Amino acid sequence: ELALRGKRDDGPVNLGVSSQSGEGVFKALLRFRANGGDEGLQDLLNKASRNATMISKTIQNELLKIIGDLILERLLEDVKGRPFTVIMDETTDSAGLEQAVLGIRFVKDCTVKEVFIGFTHAEETTGKKLADLLINTVTKFGLDMKDCRGLGVDGASNMLGHMRGCAAIVKRDFPRAK
């Protein structure tokens, strides 16, 4: 529960101090590593121009995205080639945008496992658009919808409707997804 970035995290990393007020964990870890003998990091932080240190908020966000994608990729490796269930719901976020929440449930070593895939922006909430979103997202992560054996959706008509709901459309294309 420590902040990656602090309130005053825009400037350079000052290697001569033990910590700075308002500094986040990212810069504190960089200082710790550099002061611990990482000469390459010391050179970068001391000699590189400010825009070449690669420690900006933008770079930190990119690193977090890459790390998150790698973690999800590793988690989904266990699912590939196994039967799975897709769990999906949609909700409106604090900005008023529709978000689809996706997860995968599967069995490994006689244990039920669940992997949170993430939030995906749902441009439209019709059954057809949600079905397309579900199929495209699952496929994007390297899973085969032919291995889908179940759908977990809420009871709203756009999700569960027996003719034009998301689940009905997915089941038409992938009949094993009960």
Side-chain angles (χ1 to χ4, degrees), residues 20 29 31 36-37 42-43 48 54 65 70 72-73 77 90 98 104 111 123 141 154 171 174:
Q20 290 180 282
L29 288 172
R31 180 184 307 99
Q42 285 176 6
D43 284 346
M54 307 301 282
K65 170 104 175 69
L70 288 171
L72 185 56
E73 187 179 305
E77 283 299 318
E90 29 93 27
E98 284 293 324
I104 301 287
T111 304
E123 292 179 20
F141 287 109
D154 67 13
K171 288 176 189 177
F174 303 96

Side-chain angles (χ1 to χ4, degrees), residues 86-88 100-104 115-120 133-134 137-138:
V86 179
I87 305 162
M88 181 177 176
V101 183
L102 285 153
I104 301 287
V115 175
F116 171 70
I117 289 182
F119 297 97
T120 305
L133 180 67
L134 182 150
T137 303
V138 168

Side-chain angles (χ1 to χ4, degrees), residues 49-115:
S49 63
R50 184 175 176 190
N51 64 347
T53 59
M54 307 301 282
I55 61 173
S56 70
K57 292 180 215 176
T58 304
I59 295 296
Q60 290 178 42
N61 287 342
E62 288 179 20
L63 287 170
L64 288 173
K65 170 104 175 69
I66 290 167
I67 291 167
D69 290 347
L70 288 171
I71 289 170
L72 185 56
E73 187 179 305
R74 282 266 170 88
L75 290 171
L76 291 174
E77 283 299 318
D78 286 342
V79 184
K80 291 179 181 174
R82 297 178 190 272
F84 62 86
T85 295
V86 179
I87 305 162
M88 181 177 176
D89 198 1
E90 29 93 27
T91 187
T92 305
D93 68 11
S94 60
L97 299 173
E98 284 293 324
Q99 297 287 325
V101 183
L102 285 153
I104 301 287
R105 181 179 289 161
F106 64 103
V107 176
K108 180 182 178 194
D109 300 326
C110 298
T111 304
V112 176
K113 308 264 185 185
E114 286 188 9
V115 175

Side-chain angles (χ1 to χ4, degrees), residues 3-32 35 45 55:
L4 181 67
R5 285 190 294 271
K7 292 180 181 177
R8 293 175 175 72
D9 233 6
D10 287 333
V13 176
N14 186 348
L15 298 180
V17 297
S18 59
S19 68
Q20 290 180 282
S21 177
E23 180 179 69
V25 172
F26 182 75
K27 285 199 174 176
L29 288 172
L30 287 175
R31 180 184 307 99
F32 175 78
N35 288 339
L45 296 174
I55 61 173

